[in-house]
Amino acid sequence: MTATLITDIGELTTNVGPEPLHDAAVLIEHGLITWVGQSADAPTPPGGFTEVDADGRAVIPGFVDSHSHIVFGGDRAAEFEARMAGEKYAAGGIRSTVAATRAATDEELRARMHGFVAEMLAQGTTTIEIKSGYGLDVQTEARLVRLAAEVTEEVTFLGAHVVPAEYADRGDEYVDLVIGDMLDACAPYAKWIDVFCETGAFTVAQSRRVLEAGIARGLRPRVHASQLGPGEGVQLAIELGAASVDHGTYLTDADVAELAASDTVLTLLPGVEFSTRHPYPDARRLIDAGVTVALACDTNPGSSFTSSMPFCIALAVREMGMTSAEAVRAATAGGAAALRRTDIGVIAPGMRADLVLLNAPSIVHLAYRPGVPLVSKVWKDGVAVR
Ligand code: NIG
Ligand code: FE
């Protein structure tokens, strides 16, 4: 693989210090970043190399989208349309996607998943976490984690997404299945265990059983909590050492204080508030309290059918009180922290060469020019994929 030298970068967000570099250059060799500094001091790599002139534009780390559900069948456009006309979002909508997912072939699910991965890459996302959770029976959940593992190492088993229709009013029995045969079938393909701890999904006691069983099998915990109302899911996540607790739309002051004192990341998913008309969480309150925040798309057919990190950044800046720098950091280094990854999310020697060249002089344009495709070039492991 030949080296790539990106020169004349007007604004380079490295996530190393608080400020970006200007007039910068980055050298990529063998899939890794090997040098970062002033353009004028850029080394000439031995052998052939490709030079890319950024022409004064901005470069950032590739986005790390630490929360998605992109293996599913069907869509829920009619549900979205009804919501825009005043209907409320409820967790139960998940069941209609379960029916469509069970009916889909592996080929159909795989083709769809690859389509989402491609559209995410085109928007600058170089690392994706993918959850199961639209199968909710042993065979289909195993298909979903197996398919997800074809495109990412960040696979999450979410058999406890909602209680399926055939277990209505038998939630505890369904949890027995999740932590029994379903976990047996899914654990070999997954790195993470997740549960939707919320009214209409799983209680704190049920969530604890799911997470503890997953941990005992070597999976690492992450939790969906406080999306639709306040609850005890955040505290459970922290107690069990979860890498991340996701949503956090309704956090109590105690939740915020406990998050700040923990190393659990709070992953904000503003596409959900956009699509469900719930209030946007106050990211300013979290950051000022010292909570580590990540920003992710939560791509799924129910609550957030966007795959665009730039769109989520625009929402975070416009609606959640984040600066552009905080939003980009949350969408890169924050996502890496939420996945406990130390090889991505930062532009520094030794890190994987996952980078995005924006067709803009500054990251401010991501929110300033919402909806405009500003991702000009993407490198994944040093390869120009776009
Ligand atoms: O992250 N919170 C639970 N699960 C998804 C929603 C899934 C759906 O509505 O289909 C989420 O928002
Ligand atoms: Fe989710």
Side-chain angles (χ1 to χ4, degrees):
M1 189 195 292
T2 59
T4 301
L5 181 65
I6 312 172
T7 57
D8 195 16
I9 301 170
E11 181 192 89
L12 177 66
T13 298
T14 62
N15 288 333
V16 173
E19 296 299 327
L21 303 180
H22 298 285
D23 305 317
V26 174
L27 178 61
I28 299 169
E29 294 171 293
H30 309 294
L32 299 177
I33 294 162
T34 55
W35 184 91
V36 179
Q38 292 302 121
S39 222
D41 304 334
T44 307
F49 69 98
T50 307
E51 183 168 346
V52 176
D53 185 345
D55 205 15
R57 292 173 294 171
V59 169
I60 60 174
F63 295 125
V64 180
D65 193 336
S66 60
H67 185 141
S68 89
H69 310 245
I70 57 170
V71 204
F72 62 86
D75 72 36
R76 282 153 50 199
E79 180 190 307
F80 174 79
E81 191 71 347
R83 202 153 59 236
M84 293 304 103
E87 289 291 320
K88 279 207 158 40
Y89 175 83
I94 292 169
R95 293 195 189 99
S96 68
T97 297
V98 169
T101 304
R102 288 176 179 174
T105 65
D106 278 10
E107 262 330 299
E108 288 164 344
L109 295 173
R110 181 183 286 117
R112 197 90 184 282
M113 174 182 74
H114 279 283
F116 293 127
V117 171
E119 72 183 32
M120 290 160 117
L121 204 55
Q123 295 172 96
T125 298
T126 48
T127 302
I128 309 170
E129 179 264 14
I130 304 178
K131 299 174 197 299
S132 69
Y134 289 119
L136 310 189
D137 61 32
V138 174
Q139 191 205 347
T140 316
E141 282 295 306
R143 289 167 65 207
L144 302 188
V145 287
R146 184 167 42 73
L147 287 165
E150 292 178 6
V151 294
T152 185
E153 67 189 78
E154 305 299 343
V155 176
T156 300
F157 169 47
L158 178 58
H161 198 182
V162 76
V163 177
E166 65 273 21
Y167 278 86
D169 303 321
R170 293 187 295 138
D172 287 333
E173 274 177 59
Y174 179 65
V175 171
D176 291 340
L177 177 70
V178 169
I179 68 177
D181 291 351
M182 202 183 281
L183 181 61
D184 285 342
C186 294
Y189 300 98
K191 179 167 172 181
W192 304 98
I193 177 91
D194 195 346
V195 57
F196 188 13
C197 182
E198 192 87 38
T199 303
F202 295 90
T203 65
V204 181
Q206 290 168 336
S207 300
R208 178 186 290 279
R209 288 181 68 208
V210 170
L211 295 170
E212 286 181 343
I215 293 166
R217 287 296 286 266
L219 303 183
R220 299 160 72 184
R222 42 199 322 108
V223 181
H224 281 71
S226 300
Q227 173 187 349
L228 304 172
E232 291 160 55
V234 173
Q235 270 146 41
L236 177 68
I238 294 168
E239 180 198 324
L240 296 180
S244 171
V245 55
D246 299 44
H247 289 284
T249 308
Y250 295 90
L251 296 176
T252 64
D253 289 343
D255 290 337
V256 175
E258 286 191 38
L259 280 166
S262 76
D263 64 358
T264 296
V265 174
L266 193 280
T267 301
L268 296 162
L269 309 165
V272 173
E273 280 72 46
F274 177 85
S275 169
T276 61
R277 290 197 198 275
H278 275 260
Y280 289 92
D282 182 358
R284 187 77 270 132
R285 170 191 183 210
L286 294 165
I287 294 170
D288 289 349
V291 177
T292 302
V293 295
L295 204 52
C297 290
D298 195 7
T299 311
N300 78 78
S303 66
S304 178
F305 205 5
T306 180
S307 58
S308 172
M309 279 292 223
F311 175 66
C312 292
I313 288 169
L315 291 179
V317 171
R318 171 67 176 81
E319 305 287 350
M320 290 158 55
M322 293 173 96
T323 66
S324 293
E326 286 167 344
V328 168
R329 184 178 280 262
T332 54
L339 295 171
R340 295 284 189 255
R341 292 279 297 267
T342 55
D343 57 338
I344 53 175
V346 170
I347 296 179
M351 305 296 284
R352 283 175 186 258
D354 295 351
L355 301 100
V356 174
L357 170 63
L358 298 177
N359 201 9
S362 144
I363 58 170
V364 173
H365 284 232
L366 290 168
Y368 175 44
R369 307 198 65 211
V372 178
L374 293 180
V375 171
S376 172
K377 224 167 170 28
V378 180
W379 290 267
K380 164 98 180 135
D381 290 321
V383 178
V385 288
R386 193 188 145 75

